[in-house]
Amino acid sequence: MKYKRILLKLSGEALMGERQYGIDPKILAEYADEIKQIHDKGVEIAIVIGGGNIFRGVAGASNGMDRVQGDYMGMLATVINGMALQGALEDKGMLTRLQTALKIEAIAEPYIKRRAVRHLEKGRIVIFGAGTGNPYFTTDTAAVLRGVEVNADVILKGTRVDGIYDSDPEKNANAVKFDSISFDDVIKKGLNVMDTTAFTLSQENELPIVVFDMNKKGNLMKICEGENVGTVVKI
């Protein structure tokens, strides 16, 4: 396998499937199947999942809610998604640990870097919930931060799109996809891969990012085997 340890970033919206909000158990089961394939090959897996299917702090703030309060609500949404994914993974026979940046000891361990690394070394899948534990930071930033902390080889960002394009492929039928692109070129071209804080943190720590379509079966395995899937952002 090309990568020994990965940080998989999943969007909360992806869990909705065809629904308007919430969690589609069918999507959860499909994701668990994809993750199990690489887990069975010995890949060490850490996961950060968003909360946009339940609550988004920025949206709350735009409707008059206090931004800090809204962001904490969003963090709790990621914990709910983390618990749902944990259940789906364990249904497939995998050992997991949910660690949260906010203390919720009845349902999850507090995030401790050394403990997280030990779980990964023992073959457990570690799900990181509650973002960074701080308002004004996205789950993209949390994903890169945790990826750097646990010495992941790569950030795999699973989305609905099969890579990075020079324009929005959902709006422009002639959009051109990049197989690989440098961090500098992403900035020069003004492409939207992650929020600026997350992207800069990844660049500074020379942690590559692969953007790919998580909903296409087999993609996760292909990436871990070294195939050209999605778009690689590298130094």
Side-chain angles (χ1 to χ4, degrees):
M1 304 299 277
K2 181 176 182 179
Y3 302 114
K4 183 176 188 295
R5 180 177 295 168
I6 66 163
L7 189 297
L8 177 62
K9 168 63 170 65
L10 299 172
S11 73
E13 287 93 335
L15 297 186
M16 294 189 295
E18 300 300 318
R19 303 181 179 200
Q20 296 299 310
Y21 61 88
I23 299 169
D24 184 342
K26 178 173 171 285
I27 296 290
L28 269 183
E30 288 174 0
Y31 280 8
D33 284 334
E34 295 295 301
I35 291 165
K36 181 171 171 48
Q37 287 181 16
I38 64 168
H39 181 262
D40 289 348
K41 292 285 189 179
V43 177
E44 296 174 3
I45 307 161
I47 301 172
V48 169
I49 190 162
N53 56 320
I54 298 172
F55 189 83
R56 187 175 286 281
V58 175
S62 69
N63 290 320
M65 178 179 288
D66 177 67
R67 171 67 190 270
V68 173
Q69 190 82 340
D71 280 355
Y72 279 115
M73 292 170 69
M75 290 179 218
L76 295 178
T78 72
V79 177
I80 292 171
N81 283 341
M83 292 174 70
L85 183 60
Q86 182 179 38
L89 294 171
E90 291 184 345
D91 281 347
K92 305 287 183 182
M94 288 166 275
L95 296 175
T96 69
R97 291 293 187 274
L98 176 61
Q99 291 196 345
T100 56
L102 301 173
K103 287 189 178 180
I104 317 176
E105 291 173 0
I107 56 174
E109 296 178 356
Y111 170 68
I112 298 171
K113 183 248 186 188
R114 290 178 183 273
R115 185 179 288 176
V117 170
R118 189 69 179 135
H119 289 322
L120 292 169
E121 290 171 346
K122 285 180 171 286
R124 298 167 187 146
I125 296 173
V126 183
I127 303 166
F128 298 118
T132 66
N134 300 288
Y136 296 99
F137 290 94
T138 66
T139 49
D140 276 351
T141 300
V144 176
L145 178 62
R146 296 291 181 250
V148 171
E149 287 181 305
V150 302
N151 297 314
D153 299 320
V154 66
I155 303 289
L156 302 184
K157 183 172 181 180
T159 66
R160 295 176 301 176
V161 185
D162 63 344
I164 301 170
Y165 287 76
D166 62 353
S167 60
D168 189 342
E170 293 180 354
K171 296 176 182 175
N172 178 12
N174 298 315
V176 178
K177 176 175 169 274
F178 300 100
D179 290 330
S180 67
I181 189 169
S182 70
F183 281 94
D184 287 340
D185 281 344
V186 168
I187 295 168
K188 284 175 191 170
K189 294 177 188 295
L191 303 175
N192 186 21
V193 178
M194 288 180 163
D195 69 84
T196 308
T197 306
F199 192 77
T200 304
L201 185 61
S202 190
Q203 183 180 23
E204 286 176 349
N205 289 277
E206 299 185 7
L207 182 59
I209 303 166
V210 179
V211 179
F212 72 105
D213 183 355
M214 182 67 187
N215 295 328
K216 187 172 180 183
K217 289 186 178 180
N219 269 357
L220 189 58
M221 173 63 87
K222 287 176 182 176
I223 291 169
C224 290
E225 288 178 333
E227 285 190 41
N228 265 337
V229 174
T231 303
V232 182
V233 185
K234 52 191 177 184
I235 299 297

